Amino acid sequence: MDQDSSTAISGRTGFKSEALSQSPKKANILIVDDRPDKLLAMVTIIEELGQNIVTAASGREALRCLLNQEFAVILLDVNMPGMDGFETAVLIRERRRLENVPIIFISAISDADTHVSRGYSLGAVDYILAPIVPEILRAKVSVFVELYKITEQVRAQAEDLRLAHSGLEARVKQRTEQLAATNEALQIEVRERQRAEESLLQLNLDLEQRVSDRTAELRLANQELEAFAYSIAHDLRAPFRHIHSYAELLQEEYAEALAPEARAYLTRIGTKSREMGQMVDDLLSLFSVARGKFDRAPVELGDLVQKIISDIKGDILDREIIWQIGQFPMLKCNYALIRQVLDNLISNAVKYTRPRSPAHIELGSFRENGEEVCYVRDDGVGFDMKSADRLFGVFQRLHRSEEFEGTGVGLALASRIIRKHGGRIWAEGKVDRGATFYFTLGQ
């Protein structure tokens, strides 16, 4: 393969990711391997991420590609003739612009421990041994693509704030001169603008520091989803909270001065920013469960169910619900996580039986095929079984938000928790005839 044989490939768009869908610009992924068959295999795996894939058949060809393009991640074969993967990595790290680009080594060499140790010493973020598992490789690459895009978004925001600060500084100076020449009473407004300028400058400095911290974290990242959750917490959570706070402040201070239509828009801004903040919180819980470790202890599920129902009853005093609570076993699980599962399922049953009066909710368990099966059944609006496969997906909703509130993350979180316990969760239902959710804990 010659110098012009490196190829950019636009992959299919089968990979689902909230972070990737928010950025229209595709990231570049560099795959380096001297064997065409291995290159084709890895391209086939990675192209489902829908990004730009660039291939190189040697270390030198890879270095030429890196001179002209930026890459979110490099997949680098270790055993190549001439310049091997380790030598290529050394030359990459010598370039200041490339010292933070994540490198994943791919190898089938039998002396695994020695090569893995050397790979990490050269600054690799991961080391994958053949045979390659497509899902694992695709998941690892997708995390670094997401982290790359988030970093680029943060940089763009920092530049926007810098330009905004520069423009605001010039306007404040001009206004200050005008106000000084007019009357003393307007000096209060000048001081407020100066304070706003200082706040904006501090925000800009904080953001630059966060960008610097993020770069260092990415260089040391071994836990991809933990880094991703950290990025969401700092890059999305705070701005949504700020938007909501500013919307409330405008309503409190300037509502009377606004037209009715403007007040309505302001109310919608506050509502949507609060909903987005809740979605971010739910996502963080989802990733926390996916990566976290937990302890198990014997838990009386019957007592836990009674506590949850007691808490819920205090919030639905205007509802008429007939509860039928059966027997529950004592199972070894994580108390806090299983409480989240049961609270979600029971709260959903209460929510989706809202049109019924009285509503009927039944909870219990039974033994089947050697394991305990717990269930929550209701006579609410139900769902079409044709859409059952969407129930436990992130942001998947079978009912309009105008009818029933929610972020679409609760059942996905419950599914993750159950799977972490080694169990399974599924549902049955009919439209307008109610639904039943079942789960086991792998015991």
Side-chain angles (χ1 to χ4, degrees):
M1 188 176 290
D2 58 23
Q3 179 176 356
D4 297 328
S5 60
S6 60
T7 307
I9 302 171
S10 178
R12 298 188 296 270
T13 57
F15 180 69
K16 305 296 184 181
S17 171
E18 180 70 12
L20 293 180
S21 64
Q22 291 178 351
S23 175
K25 182 179 179 181
K26 295 183 178 181
N28 293 326
I29 301 171
L30 178 60
I31 304 176
V32 188
D33 200 305
D34 63 300
R35 288 178 49 184
D37 57 332
K38 291 174 63 180
L39 273 178
L40 179 60
M42 284 192 285
V43 167
T44 302
I45 294 171
I46 300 302
E47 68 178 351
E48 292 191 19
L49 301 182
Q51 307 306 308
N52 294 325
I53 301 176
V54 177
T55 62
S58 68
R60 288 185 173 85
E61 188 176 335
L63 292 174
R64 286 195 293 269
C65 294
L66 289 164
L67 288 175
N68 303 318
Q69 301 181 69
E70 290 189 359
F71 291 91
V73 62
I74 302 172
L75 301 181
L76 184 56
D77 182 33
V78 172
N79 189 22
M80 293 187 296
M83 182 188 299
D84 66 18
F86 293 144
E87 293 171 325
T88 304
V90 170
L91 293 176
I92 291 174
R93 288 296 185 244
E94 287 178 351
R95 290 172 168 82
R96 184 174 183 85
R97 183 175 65 85
L98 305 176
E99 62 183 1
N100 296 322
V101 178
I103 297 176
I104 299 177
F105 282 118
I106 309 293
S107 176
I109 299 177
S110 60
D111 191 5
D113 292 340
T114 302
H115 283 78
V116 169
S117 177
R118 185 179 178 190
Y120 283 119
S121 71
L122 294 174
V125 297
D126 212 332
Y127 197 108
I128 299 177
L129 296 175
I132 295 174
V133 179
E135 292 78 8
I136 293 178
L137 178 61
R138 192 181 303 119
K140 289 178 180 290
V141 172
S142 71
V143 168
F144 288 106
V145 170
E146 291 170 348
L147 292 174
Y148 172 81
K149 290 194 172 187
I150 291 173
T151 302
E152 290 301 306
Q153 290 174 0
V154 171
R155 289 174 180 169
Q157 291 171 2
E159 178 62 18
D160 290 342
L161 287 175
R162 186 190 66 79
L163 294 175
H165 166 63
S166 298
L168 182 61
E169 187 177 40
R171 290 196 300 271
V172 169
K173 182 178 179 181
Q174 180 183 10
R175 182 64 56 84
T176 301
E177 294 174 352
Q178 294 173 348
L179 294 176
T182 53
N183 64 69
E184 188 66 22
L186 294 180
Q187 289 298 320
I188 297 177
E189 182 180 350
V190 173
R191 288 193 291 270
E192 289 297 328
R193 286 183 176 273
Q194 289 174 339
R195 282 195 289 268
E197 177 189 351
E198 293 171 356
S199 298
L200 186 58
L201 177 60
Q202 184 60 49
L203 181 62
N204 189 33
L205 293 175
D206 291 344
L207 186 56
E208 290 178 356
Q209 183 61 46
R210 284 163 58 191
V211 171
S212 176
D213 293 343
R214 183 64 47 74
T215 301
E217 288 162 7
L218 291 176
R219 186 166 56 246
L220 300 174
N222 290 318
Q223 302 296 328
E224 297 90 352
L225 289 180
E226 287 181 358
F228 180 45
Y230 186 85
S231 300
I232 291 179
H234 288 75
D235 296 339
L236 297 179
R237 202 180 200 179
F240 285 132
R241 187 165 55 247
H242 291 163
I243 292 172
H244 181 64
S245 298
Y246 289 143
E248 285 187 337
L249 183 61
L250 285 173
Q251 286 180 317
E252 292 174 359
E253 299 293 337
Y254 302 104
E256 294 183 358
L258 296 175
E261 185 177 6
R263 290 198 296 270
Y265 287 147
L266 195 57
T267 299
R268 292 179 63 184
I269 290 173
T271 300
K272 293 302 179 182
S273 63
R274 184 173 61 253
E275 291 176 356
M276 290 300 297
Q278 184 60 50
M279 290 175 67
V280 170
D281 290 340
D282 291 345
L283 270 179
L284 289 175
S285 299
L286 191 66
F287 283 112
S288 175
V289 169
R291 296 294 295 172
K293 296 181 180 180
F294 60 86
D295 298 324
R296 296 173 183 255
V299 175
E300 281 286 0
L301 293 187
D303 293 343
L304 179 56
V305 166
Q306 292 289 355
K307 291 178 182 178
I308 294 173
I309 293 176
S310 177
D311 291 342
I312 291 177
K313 284 182 177 179
D315 298 327
I316 54 170
L317 298 178
D318 59 336
R319 292 282 306 279
E320 183 180 358
I321 299 177
I322 299 175
W323 298 89
Q324 184 176 345
I325 304 173
Q327 296 296 318
F328 281 91
M330 175 185 287
L331 295 178
K332 197 172 183 180
C333 57
N334 181 272
Y335 181 89
L337 293 179
I338 294 304
R339 182 185 179 104
Q340 280 187 282
V341 173
L342 287 169
D343 186 74
N344 180 274
L345 296 180
I346 297 172
S347 296
N348 277 355
V350 172
K351 176 167 62 176
Y352 291 110
T353 57
R354 195 179 296 153
R356 307 287 187 257
S357 184
H360 295 80
I361 299 177
E362 178 184 351
L363 303 95
S365 69
F366 57 89
R367 192 164 185 82
E368 183 177 77
N369 297 326
E371 63 179 350
E372 294 291 341
V373 180
C374 302
Y375 66 89
V376 178
R377 179 177 293 123
D378 64 68
D379 63 346
V381 297
F383 62 90
D384 190 338
M385 284 297 291
K386 294 179 181 178
S387 304
D389 58 337
R390 296 170 47 203
L391 277 173
F392 301 101
V394 180
F395 302 131
Q396 296 295 317
R397 293 177 53 83
L398 303 187
H399 302 279
R400 295 185 305 169
S401 58
E402 292 82 358
E403 297 175 324
F404 299 99
E405 68 282 356
T407 62
V409 178
L411 288 178
L413 177 60
S415 177
R416 289 282 181 91
I417 292 173
I418 294 300
R419 292 204 305 271
K420 288 284 284 188
H421 280 79
R424 55 196 177 94
I425 186 169
W426 70 99
E428 298 173 354
K430 291 184 179 180
V431 176
D432 209 36
R433 297 290 297 276
T436 304
F437 285 80
Y438 304 88
F439 70 87
T440 69
L441 294 178
Q443 301 178 30

